[in-house]
């Protein structure tokens, strides 16, 4: 288990601070992650890796000459926010454009996608290369839905080498996507990993068994088999990956990584590689500069994975190219390949103009802050239970993300209200900070939802039922647009749609705001409970869909909890105001 920490809530920040202190020759900290201490030459394409923390050496450990120009670091197993990705990109860009690369997870796709859109609006070339190498997570006919696991490392390496060699923006993208197309991985787990501060692992593998087809975010394997010998495991991995060889690869030369996931010893990996290397040779496959060790971990997970990339001369050149980073070194870089110019300090964000609201708007803003305060307390107290629900078929981070996001939203809302703004500005500030601090899919969705809802609240009068309905509909539209989920996908949309529909029906029936909201939260709660009968069709739970049957969706559950609490708080405030008259 993860034993050494000061505060579990700041584990990632503390780890990054220690990493930067240990490797100041290579990296410096910026908001959202790290960039090279001395950035690449002017006009060079900046290659930026990223994702949740807990995977060291990925992602920040490969920042340096010949490798990545920066890394965006999210909370443990949680996508970094769009703001964090944008911040690292701005610090790393030298005028040649930015290529982000990361594993295929909904939160990463969402947040890095938003960062790319923002960079485009500012005239910066940017593109996302999404890695899809995990053969266990989807069939070959649906490879776009496959997760990114240790194949990330190969794609990062060849893209970075291409950029270092002076390839153009479009050519770096081409090389990275070509490497992804030729990369396949398969992993196994012997035991689960434990989040800092948690007494229990995210999943457990029965004694004498092995999980086959695990993810790298604490997700269990897609099936279980008897624990094999090292030689038997080598055959399982080699046969499984070779069976997925890309069509038309036209080569028998491969890059190979036998990767340890956190607590499998190097000696164990070498025993497995002894047989794996022989089996590959017997299959007519020639391995080029293999890597055996820990390159993409999952905290303290016991397990390993095999990654193969079918090489052509260009990919082989980049795979073998020199690199010098804190956690990975290869060959020797010549002095001219490193720019002596220190990386610039990030510009401070320009503060938004404060528009003071009339007294009625300030009063509504105070009620919004009261609801945020109660919501943050609720989610803090529910963190463990929401994490338990999420760990059944996901990575177990939902509770921690919701607690962190709501706490940050409360602080932002309190600061905004203290400036005398109205409810719209309070919720916009809260939403932005929720998204920035929580990261992940839920962080982005809650941030967008709060912003869209708040944008329609009036500052110059009491909100009417129609205002609440318009805001709820706007929030639903934002969540659907950003998350691309629909009813039946087993997400928070399955609770939000019934809430909005019932709220509209109640208002059409002539109900006032309070009874209409109570009807709506009952509908949302019932719908959240009914998600236990659904199979997830999107997100990290999709590869383990069958395991989630009988368990309600954590996103729908937390949404219903929050909506119920908000209605209770606002009703109590109304009663207090009435009694005080």
């Amino acid at each position: 288990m993860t034993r050494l920490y000061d505060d579990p809530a700041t584990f990632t920040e503390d780890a990054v601070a220690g990493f930067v202190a240990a490797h100041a020759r290579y990296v410096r900290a910026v908001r959202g992650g790290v960039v090279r201490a001395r950035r690449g030459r002017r006009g060079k394409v900046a290659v930026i890796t990223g994702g949740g923390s807990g995977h060291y050496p990925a992602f920040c450990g490969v920042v340096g000459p010949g490798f990545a120009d920066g890394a965006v670091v999210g909370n443990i197993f949680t996508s970094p926010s769009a703001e964090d990705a944008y911040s690292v990109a701005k610090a790393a860009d030298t005028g040649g454009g930015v290529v982000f690369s990361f594993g295929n997870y909904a939160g990463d796709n969402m947040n890095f996608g938003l960062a790319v859109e923002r960079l485009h609006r500012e005239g910066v070339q940017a593109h996302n290369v999404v890695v899809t190498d995990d053969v266990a997570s989807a069939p070959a006919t649906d490879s776009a839905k496959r997760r990114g696991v240790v194949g990330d490392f190969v794609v990062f390496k060849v893209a970075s080498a291409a950029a270092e060699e002076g390839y153009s923006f479009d050519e770096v993208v081409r090389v990275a996507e070509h490497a992804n197309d030729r990369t396949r991985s398969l992993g196994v787990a012997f035991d689960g990993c434990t989040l800092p501060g948690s007494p229990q692992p995210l999943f457990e593998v029965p004694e004498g068994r092995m999980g086959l087809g695990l993810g790298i975010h604490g997700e269990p394997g897609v099936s279980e088999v008897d624990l094999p010998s090292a030689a038997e495991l080598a055959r399982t991995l080699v046969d499984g990956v070779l069976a997925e060889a890309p069509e038309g690869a036209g080569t028998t030369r491969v890059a190979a990584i036998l990767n340890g996931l956190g607590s499998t010893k190097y000696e164990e990996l070498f025993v497995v590689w002894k047989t794996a290397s022989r089996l590959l040779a017997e299959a007519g496959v020639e391995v080029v500069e293999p890597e055996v060790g820990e390159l993409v971990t999952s905290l303290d997970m016991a397990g390993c994975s095999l990654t193969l990339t079918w090489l052509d001369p260009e990919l082989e050149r980049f795979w073998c190219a020199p690199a010098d980073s804190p956690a990975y070194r290869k060959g020797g870089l010549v002095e001219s390949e490193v720019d002596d110019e220190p990386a610039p300090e990030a510009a401070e964000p320009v503060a938004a103009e404060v528009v003071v609201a009339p007294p009625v708007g300030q009063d509504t803003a105070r009620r919004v802050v009261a609801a945020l305060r109660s919501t943050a307390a609720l989610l803090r107290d529910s963190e463990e239970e929401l994490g338990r629900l999420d760990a059944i078929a996901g990575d177990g981070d939902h509770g921690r993300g919701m607690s962190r996001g709501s706490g940050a939203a409360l602080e932002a809302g309190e600061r905004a209200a203290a400036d005398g703004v109205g409810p719209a500005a309070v919720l916009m500030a809260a939403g932005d900070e929720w998204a920035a601090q929580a990261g992940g899919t839920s962080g982005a969705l809650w941030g967008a939802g709060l912003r869209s809802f708040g944008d329609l609240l009036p500052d110059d009068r009491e909100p009417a039922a129609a205002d609440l309905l318009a805001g709820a509909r706007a929030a639903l539209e934002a969540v659907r647009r950003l998350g691309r989920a629909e009813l039946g996908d087993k997400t928070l949309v399955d609770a939000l749609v019934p809430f909005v529909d019932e709220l509209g029906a109640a208002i059409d029936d002539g109900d006032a705001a309070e009874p209409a909201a109570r009807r709506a939260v009952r509908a949302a709660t019932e719908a959240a409970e009914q998600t236990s009968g659904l199979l997830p069709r999107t997100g990290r739970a999709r590869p383990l869909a069958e395991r989630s049957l009988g368990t309600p969706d954590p996103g729908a559950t937390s949404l219903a909890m929050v909506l119920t609490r908000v209605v209770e708080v606002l009703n109590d405030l109304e009663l207090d105001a009435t009694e005080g008259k």
Side-chain angles (χ1 to χ4, degrees), residues 16 62 131 142 277 449 480 545:
V16 171
V62 297
V131 183
D142 210 3
S277 60
R480 275 180 151 166

Side-chain angles (χ1 to χ4, degrees), residues 36-341:
R36 290 188 192 181
R38 295 184 177 277
R39 63 181 183 171
R41 63 187 174 275
R42 196 171 304 281
K44 172 188 172 297
V45 178
V47 176
I48 298 176
T49 71
S53 58
H55 304 303
Y56 192 85
F59 300 96
C60 56
V62 297
V63 175
F67 221 138
D69 296 271
V72 194
V73 184
N75 296 318
I76 293 178
F77 301 162
T78 303
S79 163
S81 70
E83 182 66 32
D84 287 346
Y86 169 81
S87 169
V88 174
K90 292 291 285 184
D93 180 38
T94 64
V98 174
V99 176
F100 293 111
S101 189
F102 48 86
N104 187 27
Y105 299 91
D108 293 303
N109 279 302
M110 191 179 300
N111 286 298
F112 282 100
L114 290 171
V116 165
E117 290 176 6
R118 184 174 176 184
L119 291 166
H120 283 168
R121 289 195 297 270
E122 297 181 5
V124 178
Q125 276 189 301
H127 186 82
N128 288 333
V129 176
V130 183
V131 183
T132 56
D133 59 304
D134 180 17
V135 301
S137 56
T141 54
D142 210 3
S143 60
K145 291 184 178 180
R146 286 178 166 175
R147 300 177 292 204
V149 285
V150 184
D152 290 7
F153 190 91
V154 181
V155 176
F156 300 163
K157 174 65 174 65
V158 300
S160 298
E164 205 77 39
E165 193 173 287
Y167 270 35
S168 69
F169 179 85
D170 289 341
E171 285 294 282
V172 171
V173 171
R174 177 190 62 78
V175 166
E177 292 179 342
H178 180 48
N180 179 59
D181 290 342
R182 288 175 168 242
T183 300
R184 305 288 188 270
S185 298
L186 177 63
V188 298
F190 315 124
D191 204 1
C193 55
T194 307
L195 298 177
S198 175
Q200 301 294 332
L202 290 176
F203 69 92
E204 295 180 328
V205 179
E207 187 71 25
R209 300 281 284 175
M210 176 181 76
L212 181 64
L214 77 157
I216 58 165
H217 294 90
E219 309 100 318
V222 298
S223 62
E224 285 182 359
V225 297
D226 288 338
L227 184 65
S229 67
E232 291 167 339
L233 174 58
R235 183 170 293 280
T236 295
L237 294 175
V238 169
D239 289 350
V241 178
L242 288 182
E244 294 279 344
E247 287 188 26
T251 180
T252 57
R253 293 173 68 80
V254 301
I257 298 175
L258 182 63
N259 178 70
L261 285 156
S263 66
T264 302
K265 303 302 182 185
Y266 273 67
E267 286 87 348
E268 294 176 277
L269 294 175
F270 291 139
V271 173
V272 174
W273 183 247
K274 179 197 72 169
T275 301
S277 60
R278 176 178 58 78
L279 292 173
L280 289 167
E282 290 174 355
V285 175
E286 183 178 353
V287 178
V288 178
E289 297 191 7
E291 297 287 346
V292 179
E294 293 183 348
L295 295 178
V296 183
T297 62
S298 185
L299 286 177
D300 60 331
M301 186 186 291
C304 64
S305 61
L306 177 66
T307 297
L308 299 180
T309 299
W310 279 258
L311 301 171
D312 57 23
E314 182 181 50
L315 290 179
E316 183 171 339
R317 184 172 81 252
F318 293 142
W319 173 244
C320 299
D324 184 21
S325 67
Y328 185 83
R329 299 179 180 92
K330 175 179 280 190
L333 289 169
V334 298
E335 194 66 28
S336 62
E337 291 175 299
V338 183
D339 197 325
D340 288 331
E341 179 185 354

Side-chain angles (χ1 to χ4, degrees), residues 105-106 441 491 536-543:
Y105 299 91
T441 306
T491 70
R537 298 190 299 221
T538 187
R540 290 185 187 171
R542 181 191 54 78

Side-chain angles (χ1 to χ4, degrees), residues 379-396:
L379 292 173
R380 184 174 60 249
D381 293 342
S382 304
E383 179 178 325
E384 185 175 341
E385 174 60 18
L386 291 173
R388 183 192 66 79
L389 289 177
D390 191 35
I392 290 172
D395 56 12

Side-chain angles (χ1 to χ4, degrees), residues 340-429:
D340 288 331
E341 179 185 354
E345 295 296 326
E348 289 295 321
V350 179
E353 181 183 358
V354 175
V355 178
V356 176
V360 65
Q362 293 187 38
D363 182 61
T364 303
R366 284 190 287 271
R367 282 185 272 172
V368 169
V369 170
L372 289 171
R373 184 174 298 112
S374 188
T375 293
L378 169 70
L379 292 173
R380 184 174 60 249
D381 293 342
S382 304
E383 179 178 325
E384 185 175 341
E385 174 60 18
L386 291 173
R388 183 192 66 79
L389 289 177
D390 191 35
I392 290 172
D395 56 12
D397 71 339
H398 184 69
R400 183 162 296 189
M402 291 294 286
S403 177
R404 184 183 178 98
S406 60
L410 170 61
E411 292 179 6
E414 288 176 331
R415 290 193 299 268
D419 290 334
V421 301
V426 167
L427 280 173
M428 288 181 183

